Each structure stands twice: as C-alpha cells, then as structure tokens.
Amino acid sequence: MKKRFKLLALAFLLGGFTACNDLDIAPINIVQDPVVFTDDGMQAYMAALYSRIPMEDFRYSGSENDGFNTWNQIWLPSLNTGENANRNQNGYFNPARGYWDNAYVVIRNANYLIQHLPEYVSTMGQDKIDRWIGEAKFIRAYTYFALARRYGGVPITDQVLQYLDGDVEPLQIARSSEEATYDFILKDLDEAMVAMPEASEKPGRANKYIIEAFKSRVALNAGSKARYGIPYTVEGVMLTGIPKARANDYFTQAFKAAKNIEGKYSLYKKNWSATDKQATADNYAALFLDNSSSETIFYKDYFYPNSVHSFDAVFSPPHMTTTYGDRFNPTLDYVELFDGLPKNERGELKTLNDDGTYIVYDYVEQLFEECEPRLRGTVLLPGMPFKKARTDIRRGTLVESVDPAVPIQKFIGEGLTAPYTSNPFYAANVKQSGTWNQQTPITLSTGEKINPTGMDGPTSSNNATVTGFHGRKYLNPNLEISATELHRSSQRWIDLRYAEVVLNRAEAALELAQNGVSSVDGVSLQADAFNCINQIRERAGAVLLTSDAELSTGAPLAPGTGVGSYVLAPTRGLQIIRIERRKELAFENKLWWDMLRWRTADVEVNQRTWRKLNPFLFAKGAKPELTDYVRGKYIFDCRFDERNGRVSIPTKAYYEAIPGDEIASNPNMEQNDEY
C-alpha cells in the first residue's frame, strides 16, 4: 500500500479531517488521549464516523469526488434506469467514481474503536462499551456493503493495520471473495444487533431495529448475487459472484430480518384516505417531508444554514426556482407503470383514437384524473398546483384557425424520431418556443396573450423538461420560489424506510417460494409476499392483487405486451414485485443497484430511447387563468425523446474497476473482469 501519512489529531473527532489513504491509515496513538474515551469524546467520535458513512443522499452524485458530498446532483444513476432524464445527459452515464480510499478511512477508525474500547470498561461501563462497539460494527458493515456493491469481493480487515519499519507487506491484503465479503458484513450486523438496544442513543444513529432493517437490504443483495450473478474467479477466489447454492440461505436471512421489525415501524398513513385520491397522493408526498413519520428508519438530517443541500434549486420545475431547476424529469416509461391511466395493448399511455387521430381533452389535467394517487405524489403532472404555482407543461400551441373538433393525425409516426417540424401541418399550425423563459406571446382573438410553450417546458431546444413531466418526491412545497436557491434546502434524507423493508420481505419470500422453500418459521411465503405487496399498493391507492396465485412461476410479460413489460424478471410473480419496487422506490438511489443485483441492466437498457409526453394546447377557445395556467382543450403526443439519444449499459458496469493505484501498489490486488 501507499506510504502516506497524515496527522489527523482531534480534527477527526470534530468532523474536519481529510481522507488520507487506503488500508494504511494514519499513525496510531492519534485517538488514545484519555479525553477521547469519555462520554463527550465518544459522542464526537461517533458523530465523525456517522458523518462519513457512504449514504447516497442529497449530496450524492457522479459529478465529482468519489460520488459523495457534492452539491451537484445532476449526474445520478437514475439516468440509466428509465426513472429520470435531463438535458445534461442523453446516453449511458457511468456512475463509478472510485469510492475506496475514504471507505478504508472509515473502516480503520471503526476498527480502532472495536479494538480499544474494551480497555475502558472500568471507567465507562459495559453497557456503553457494548453499544458503541455495536455502532462501530454497524458503520463498518455499512461501509463494506458500499464497497461490495461496487467491487464484489474486497480486502477485509477487522484490525488496525500498522506500517512499521518500512515493511509494507502486512498492508498488502488480497481481495476476499464476494461471498466472504457479504458473510463478514452479515456477521458484523448480527453481532451489532446483540449489543444494541431498541432505541438509538441519539437521533440519526443506529439501534437494534435499524440494523435488522439494514440487514434485510444486505442479505437480499447477496441472495440476488448468488442467484443471478456470473462468477469471476482468479486463482481459486470467486472475486465477483456468489455460489448459487447460497441463494436460499441469504434470502432466508433477508426475510427473517425484515419480518423481525414488523410492528416496530409502519407505512405512513397520517392523512391517507381510502376514498380521497388527492389526500392519498398528498399523504405519499408528505412521508418524505414529515420528520415524525412512522415509516422512517434510518436517515440523515440537514439544518439550514449550517448543513444544507441544493435539491430544490436543482430539481424544481424551472419557473419555481431561482437557479438551475428542471433536472428532475420522470420518463413516460416510468409514468406508464402506474394504474388508472388509459393504456394500449403494449401497456403504453393511450392518447390516440383507433383511427390514429388524437383524443381531445377538455383541460390539461383531464388525462390523469383517475391515475393511481402514488403517481401524483411522486410526479408533477401537467397543470398540478405546487409551491403556490402550477406546473405549466406544454410543448406548443395550435393556432386559433385549427378547430379542436376536426381530427388531427399523429404528428410523427409511432416509433419515429423525426423532428416535429418535418410534418408540414405541424410546421404551419403549431407555435412553439426554443426556451421557456424567453418567449414571444401569442395574441388571441380576445386580445389576451399566452405563451406558445409552457413555463416548465418541454421546449424545442430541450432547455426545460425533456420528458413532459417534473418530479415531486422530496421537493419542499413550502420553500418559497424566491428562496429556492443553491445551498438552501434542509429536508431530511431517508436512507431506509419501512416500505423498502416490506418490499425486501416480499421479494425474499417469493424467491424462496419459487425455489423450493414454501415456508419459514411457519409462515407461508407466497401468501406473505402477496400480503406485503398489497400493503404497499393499498397505501399507494393502487389496484390490489386479488390472489397470491398472481405471483406465479409462469412466464413474465414479454417486452411490449403489457404494463411494465420492459421490466425483466425470470417469472411473472417476480416481475410484479420488481415493478412495484420501481414505482415505490424511484428517485431514492435504489433502482440502479436493483438492476445490477438482478443482472438485468445490460439487457433491459440496450439501445433504449426514453419516451416522453408532449401536451399541445388549442388556441381556439383558450382562456389564460393564471400566468402559468391556460384553460383550454389539449391533445397529448407520446413519442421518443426528441434528442434521439440511446442508452446502453455495458456488462462491465455490474462491477467497478478496482482503482488503478491500488493495483499498482499492491501485488496481491486483482482487477475485476473486463477492465
């Protein structure tokens, strides 16, 4: 390993240290001062450890650094999954940022506590020592999990390594297998749970049930890697991939861990209503903003002005922010997963009559009036009220001489990527704008003026939404537009919530049920998976499954044959569960990892062009009611993203490359396949 040294001193404890190296961390004795091993010292040490765990939160992005702690959230893995699109990226985005050095700094300092805290039992008490060692093992496991998801098997050390007398050999640790890495992580979590009480010592820190919930995530990943991974073995060590025989063991651990926190948390339903779609939608949106939510398990708090992020400024619709904006564009592919929308036989949004002419809607919101409430709680649809404004989404305006009663053929043929202006009717009869904020208004026959394009896009130059939608999840509706600026947001990031645990439980249960294990501890697994999915769907206001027989081992829907059919799975039952995860966990930095552990990314996203929805207003009869809302008749055009970009995920993306300087400095370090 590298021969780099830094004195961290007490700055580490106060959270102000600079990451230094890999497995060879700074000299020992930096935290041996007795002042550290006191209640106050340990609170500072723990705060520093927690501040450095690799949580993929509001400050996570592939824009710079190793992916963590950057304000620029534009470059996210969701650009590859079909959740999101934005004008900055129009193809595959490699999210690998080489997270390695900082991981081993955290691991080394967790190891230091685990190794030395027992020496202070007489002065601090066994209960405190056990708790802090449990937390250190949780943090170590959390960090090793971040490495395992990225690299597979990694070097494992549970000791503080020393560089002595010029001998670097003890630091040159070889990679363990991916199986051994996951087993080490799960062992840490099991041991941490034994030591931890049910309640956290301080908000935002671990307890027994947080660790149990996190274990469900880890074990589910390991089970998927065993069932679907492709092994890569070097000199007898399976560096990536896990033996298939271990799959049911890991899925059983995931199921039990998820079930063990039943009754400790619950799905957020504070303002939920079985009969009021809007209340159910608002309830879903509120769960991400309510710090008293019964669903929140593990989180990271922000506080203005000392600890902030820029989510609202970067991701709000453009006329609802003072800077940036418009980078949160859910795709039509994603929106079409939801219930309550008119669909064609391919499972796509139906906005055409059978003769290929556009269906005319009386107002812009009408198309989505019967949609599943969770969609409205996740996505800002055309015309929706938000932040004391309206989402003003309109691609163009048909001139007043065009009568809505006269049928209009689809502008561009199905599946084509030609520009709208290649259609003579469109070129002669549709007014549009190149930008959302520099428009030449149309003067109506009434003397009133309207913009040809919505203030939130889509525009002909794609400088606002590129999909016809904006996101809602996590946006703060109470932050005034004038205050929606960089480094102003302070809503909490929820890393782990009960809905994910319920979905983990459902997936693990069905994986077991479809692979020879019908029950665990007397619980019928297929029935349990059915009940879990319906819990999620009920809260969402979605259509419930009618029988656990729907979670069958039959063939999944083939792409292009129904709703969500592009979501790949080995069986129809697992396809249903994977679709549900996409609907529920989108925009939470979860789905990229799902696609990697299922080994579907390169097939599902192969020369994909994301789809979009373009609303068009008829100027005839239009009435501007607000600066960002025009009442009138609309048509909606479903088409491919007009930029014609294509996304393909290479097979090597399933694992990152081990950083080159690690390979160069450690003769025992093997590189991953395809690098």
Side-chain angles (χ1 to χ4, degrees):
M1 287 292 157
K2 306 175 188 65
K3 303 176 183 178
R4 292 176 285 172
F5 301 95
K6 289 185 181 179
L7 288 175
L8 305 184
L10 196 59
F12 167 74
L13 300 180
L14 300 177
F17 90 105
T18 300
C20 55
N21 50 21
D22 315 303
L23 300 182
D24 54 321
I25 314 302
I28 62 170
N29 302 321
I30 63 168
V31 291
Q32 290 185 351
D33 190 320
V35 73
V36 174
F37 290 101
T38 64
D39 281 355
D40 289 344
M42 284 305 304
Q43 296 306 328
Y45 199 105
M46 281 295 174
L49 275 180
Y50 276 98
S51 74
R52 281 165 177 77
I53 63 173
M55 185 180 291
E56 296 174 12
D57 65 348
F58 292 118
R59 295 174 61 82
Y60 173 71
S61 169
S63 60
E64 53 188 310
N65 303 329
D66 56 14
F68 298 95
N69 297 312
T70 171
W71 71 267
N72 186 344
Q73 304 136 338
I74 293 171
W75 307 96
L76 294 173
S78 61
L79 296 173
N80 298 328
T81 63
E83 300 161 73
N84 188 32
N86 66 41
R87 58 188 170 99
N88 294 91
Q89 183 68 19
N90 193 23
Y92 168 68
F93 164 65
N94 184 358
R97 300 300 302 173
Y99 177 67
W100 186 278
D101 286 10
N102 286 334
Y104 281 105
V105 170
V106 175
I107 289 165
R108 190 271 185 185
N109 286 290
N111 285 343
Y112 193 92
L113 283 187
I114 295 165
Q115 186 172 331
H116 291 287
L117 267 171
E119 301 167 13
Y120 294 83
V121 169
S122 61
T123 57
M124 306 182 76
Q126 191 67 54
D127 288 346
K128 289 180 179 179
I129 297 296
D130 288 346
R131 175 199 288 272
W132 290 329
I133 288 177
E135 287 190 86
K137 287 186 176 181
F138 166 72
I139 291 167
R140 184 170 71 182
Y142 194 106
T143 306
Y144 266 121
F145 180 57
L147 291 171
R149 289 206 293 189
R150 287 163 170 79
Y151 302 105
V154 295
I156 296 174
T157 175
D158 60 0
Q159 300 292 317
V160 178
L161 301 181
Q162 308 300 338
Y163 174 75
L164 299 174
D165 301 323
D167 183 10
V168 299
E169 188 173 347
L171 308 177
Q172 295 175 333
I173 301 176
R175 294 172 63 186
S176 294
S177 68
E178 186 165 11
E179 178 185 17
T181 302
Y182 272 100
D183 286 343
F184 180 83
I185 294 166
L186 291 167
K187 178 175 179 289
D188 256 359
L189 295 176
D190 286 340
E191 292 177 354
M193 275 187 279
V194 171
M196 294 296 290
E198 296 183 4
S200 301
E201 183 176 21
K202 288 183 176 294
R205 284 169 52 180
N207 61 44
K208 184 183 297 291
Y209 298 120
I210 288 172
I211 296 171
E212 194 88 79
F214 183 70
K215 181 182 177 182
S216 78
R217 181 190 288 176
V218 173
L220 187 70
N221 271 264
S224 298
K225 293 293 186 72
R227 181 142 291 151
Y228 304 113
I230 298 176
Y232 176 62
T233 300
V234 178
E235 296 183 356
V237 179
M238 192 182 293
L239 297 178
T240 61
I242 296 174
K244 292 187 181 298
R246 293 294 310 277
N248 280 357
D249 170 33
Y250 291 124
F251 285 130
T252 300
Q253 291 188 62
F255 174 79
K256 287 183 175 182
K259 194 174 187 308
N260 284 344
I261 68 165
E262 188 174 37
K264 307 302 178 182
Y265 303 91
S266 61
L267 297 179
Y268 182 85
K269 298 178 76 171
K270 183 181 290 188
N271 299 301
W272 179 86
S273 170
T275 58
D276 186 336
K277 285 179 175 286
Q278 189 59 54
T280 298
D282 291 341
N283 174 81
Y284 184 77
L287 81 86
F288 298 95
L289 302 169
D290 185 349
N291 286 356
S292 66
S293 170
S294 62
E295 187 164 334
T296 299
I297 298 177
F298 190 51
Y299 59 87
K300 180 177 180 179
D301 269 332
Y302 287 88
F303 304 95
Y304 181 81
N306 296 322
S307 175
V308 293
H309 55 86
S310 300
F311 186 81
D312 295 282
V314 175
F315 281 174
S316 289
H319 91 287
M320 299 184 193
T321 176
T322 63
T323 45
Y324 284 83
D326 78 47
R327 269 61 169 204
F328 192 179
N329 304 160
T331 66
L332 179 56
D333 309 75
Y334 173 71
V335 168
E336 288 169 337
L337 295 175
F338 290 82
D339 299 337
L341 301 173
K343 309 280 180 62
N344 60 26
E345 68 280 358
R346 296 187 300 277
E348 298 170 346
L349 191 65
K350 180 177 172 58
T351 61
L352 298 175
N353 296 303
D354 291 341
D355 63 359
T357 60
Y358 290 108
I359 299 170
V360 177
Y361 296 86
D362 293 331
Y363 44 91
V364 72
E365 307 101 310
Q366 189 177 14
L367 173 59
F368 293 97
E369 279 184 330
E370 299 303 317
C371 73
E372 174 185 323
R374 178 171 46 180
L375 173 61
R376 198 180 299 276
T378 305
V379 176
L380 292 174
L381 303 169
M384 271 182 61
F386 192 71
K387 289 174 78 78
K388 300 177 183 178
R390 294 278 196 130
T391 47
D392 187 20
I393 300 175
R394 182 171 68 259
R395 177 67 170 78
T397 300
L398 291 135
V399 297
E400 276 188 287
S401 59
V402 177
D403 190 335
V406 178
I408 299 174
Q409 286 288 328
K410 183 170 172 56
F411 297 136
I412 302 296
E414 198 71 48
L416 301 180
T417 59
Y420 278 124
T421 51
S422 64
N423 180 313
F425 174 86
Y426 185 99
N429 293 286
V430 178
K431 300 293 185 182
Q432 61 182 32
S433 177
T435 63
W436 66 271
N437 56 352
Q438 296 180 351
Q439 302 197 48
T440 301
I442 299 170
T443 302
L444 303 176
S445 58
T446 60
E448 297 175 294
K449 296 181 183 295
I450 60 172
N451 287 324
T453 293
M455 295 177 68
D456 298 316
T459 68
S460 59
S461 62
N462 293 305
N463 77 330
T465 174
V466 296
T467 65
F469 302 99
H470 288 282
R472 179 181 184 184
K473 184 180 283 191
Y474 270 122
L475 288 178
N476 182 1
N478 300 317
L479 187 64
E480 296 288 339
I481 292 175
S482 60
T484 305
E485 55 190 11
L486 294 177
H487 318 303
R488 186 63 182 263
S489 296
S490 59
Q491 56 266 53
R492 167 183 291 178
W493 176 264
I494 304 171
D495 179 64
L496 185 57
R497 58 188 178 96
Y498 189 58
E500 181 194 344
V501 176
V502 174
L503 288 165
N504 293 348
R505 175 174 166 177
E507 184 180 341
L510 196 63
E511 285 279 7
L512 290 166
Q514 293 189 350
N515 288 277
V517 183
S518 61
S519 66
V520 169
D521 295 337
V523 177
S524 173
L525 293 174
Q526 181 149 327
D528 195 77
F530 165 78
N531 291 331
C532 287
I533 293 301
N534 271 352
Q535 286 182 49
I536 299 294
R537 289 193 172 192
E538 181 193 36
R539 195 269 298 276
V543 177
L544 300 182
L545 298 178
T546 59
S547 165
D548 65 13
E550 292 183 64
L551 299 176
S552 73
T553 57
L557 297 180
T561 63
V563 176
S565 56
Y566 70 87
V567 178
L568 302 182
T571 68
R572 176 57 181 158
L574 287 169
Q575 187 178 50
I576 289 171
I577 286 177
R578 292 180 182 187
I579 291 170
E580 203 63 39
R581 285 186 72 92
R582 291 193 182 220
K583 294 164 70 176
E584 180 68 26
L585 302 178
F587 318 116
E588 298 178 42
N589 295 329
K590 303 289 192 298
L591 301 190
W592 171 250
W593 299 113
D594 281 348
M595 292 172 68
L596 295 189
R597 68 184 174 87
W598 294 329
R599 197 80 187 193
T600 60
D602 65 305
V603 181
E604 190 174 298
V605 185
N606 182 14
Q607 290 295 295
R608 285 290 296 271
T609 298
W610 308 129
R611 297 173 61 250
K612 67 183 295 186
L613 181 72
N614 282 328
F616 291 89
L617 168 71
F618 286 92
K620 184 178 179 66
K623 176 68 176 175
E625 296 185 354
L626 300 167
T627 57
D628 53 8
Y629 183 77
V630 181
R631 182 166 291 277
K633 294 185 180 296
Y634 279 81
I635 58 175
F636 293 85
D637 186 51
C638 302
R639 65 164 297 164
F640 286 126
D641 183 341
E642 294 168 69
R643 298 172 298 171
N644 302 330
R646 295 186 180 274
V647 184
S648 289
I649 297 176
T651 55
K652 69 179 183 179
Y654 285 106
Y655 294 96
E656 292 186 25
I658 302 295
D661 55 357
E662 301 302 322
I663 299 292
S665 61
N666 182 356
N668 297 317
M669 188 74 70
E670 298 289 346
Q671 185 56 276
N672 275 330
D673 194 19
E674 297 192 62
Y675 291 100

